[in-house]
Amino acid sequence: YAYPDQGFMSRFAQAIEKEYPQFFMFGETWVHGPQVQSWYAEKSANKNFDSHLQSVTDFQFAFALHKGLNEKHDWAKGINRLYYVLSGDYMYENPSHLVTFIDNHDIARMYGLYGKDMNKYKMAIALLMTSRGIPQMYYGTEILMAATDGHGEIREDFWGGWPEDTVNKFTKEGRSDLENEAFDFIQSLANFRKNSSALTEGKLVQFVPREGVYCYFRYSADEEIMVIVNASEKAVEEKLDRYEERLRSKSTFTDALTQEALPIEENLELGPFETRIFVVK
């Protein structure tokens, strides 16, 4: 989207908006930094320009996860990268409209990018599906396509559906056990998100990461979700009094995927690169 003349693109989008007011339009903006990215969004912090787009692709979110899960924790590295990206949401009129993603047709497949580490893969998927924004899933991510170089390989055919295909990844029988684990994980999270008011329309409150542990809450009038990840290589015992602002008066965690109910106690144990998603009551 950033390549053409911006005056023309603004007039073009305005004409579409006038003719079809229900359209949702977003532009692919491969730029660096939320300051630049927000300039292209409708009614951004730059009041001298209105793109008349409802949203843009959130490359900053993707970049943060690309580097963040492969780095050791530091002030501005590791999972802190995502914290800083979301801290820039004040630059947008409506950050919940940003189109979030982890991989696409131009960049490395996330499973390969993470060295085929299933825990990192699941963490990235969980953050994508529970954070603010509208998640965009690239085909093949759900069956662990892993190419990291060459557009032909990154955009290779999805196996199945053609007479000459020897395997069919559209079916459970055609997928490996590991591929089914990935497929089922995404399916479960997608269905959970679809039925969650906190994730589809709720607000976000995040807490400063500490030693690789990052936590945020999504909440609406009738639901509250807690997402906590340990983006480090060592097990931790996280003290939950850090999150008293949101956990005050709450008593129970319910695991969003297993439905297991747990009492909210003083500490929460998290394994290396473990992700937990709770409904808090």
Side-chain angles (χ1 to χ4, degrees), residues 245-256:
E245 175 187 339
R246 301 307 313 175
L247 293 179
R248 188 185 303 118
S249 77
K250 305 294 197 305
S251 60
T252 306
F253 284 145
T254 300
D255 189 289

Side-chain angles (χ1 to χ4, degrees), residues 198-210:
L199 297 183
T200 55
E201 59 188 60
K203 296 181 180 180
L204 181 147
V205 171
Q206 61 174 350
F207 290 79
V208 179
R210 183 174 63 182

Side-chain angles (χ1 to χ4, degrees), residues 131-269:
S131 186
R132 57 79 175 132
I134 303 170
Q136 173 181 283
M137 188 74 66
Y138 188 41
Y139 80 92
T141 296
E142 75 276 29
I143 59 166
L144 303 178
M145 285 188 176
T148 58
D149 191 28
H151 283 200
E153 294 187 20
I154 292 171
R155 305 173 188 183
E156 69 177 314
D157 290 346
F158 194 103
W159 306 300
W162 302 100
E164 62 272 19
D165 287 335
T166 56
V167 293
N168 184 1
K169 300 296 183 181
F170 289 103
T171 67
K172 182 176 182 179
E173 295 73 23
R175 298 188 292 264
S176 69
D177 290 344
L178 195 61
E179 289 167 351
N180 275 316
E181 182 181 344
F183 184 96
D184 293 345
F185 182 74
I186 291 178
Q187 186 179 60
S188 296
L189 264 178
N191 281 322
F192 174 66
R193 179 187 174 89
K194 181 173 62 177
N195 296 301
S196 168
S197 63
L199 297 183
T200 55
E201 59 188 60
K203 296 181 180 180
L204 181 147
V205 171
Q206 61 174 350
F207 290 79
V208 179
R210 183 174 63 182
E211 299 300 321
V213 176
Y214 174 51
C215 178
Y216 58 84
F217 290 76
R218 300 292 311 280
Y219 64 96
S220 63
D222 55 5
E223 185 182 45
E224 182 142 14
I225 306 296
M226 175 183 178
V227 180
I228 186 166
V229 304
N230 174 22
S232 74
E233 297 177 351
K234 63 178 182 179
V236 297
E237 193 170 285
E238 181 71 353
K239 295 184 180 299
L240 295 181
D241 58 2
R242 289 195 68 210
Y243 314 113
E244 183 183 3
E245 175 187 339
R246 301 307 313 175
L247 293 179
R248 188 185 303 118
S249 77
K250 305 294 197 305
S251 60
T252 306
F253 284 145
T254 300
D255 189 289
L257 298 183
T258 68
Q259 301 305 310
E260 178 187 8
L262 303 168
I264 296 178
E265 299 179 340
E266 293 183 2
N267 302 324
L268 179 66
E269 294 183 0

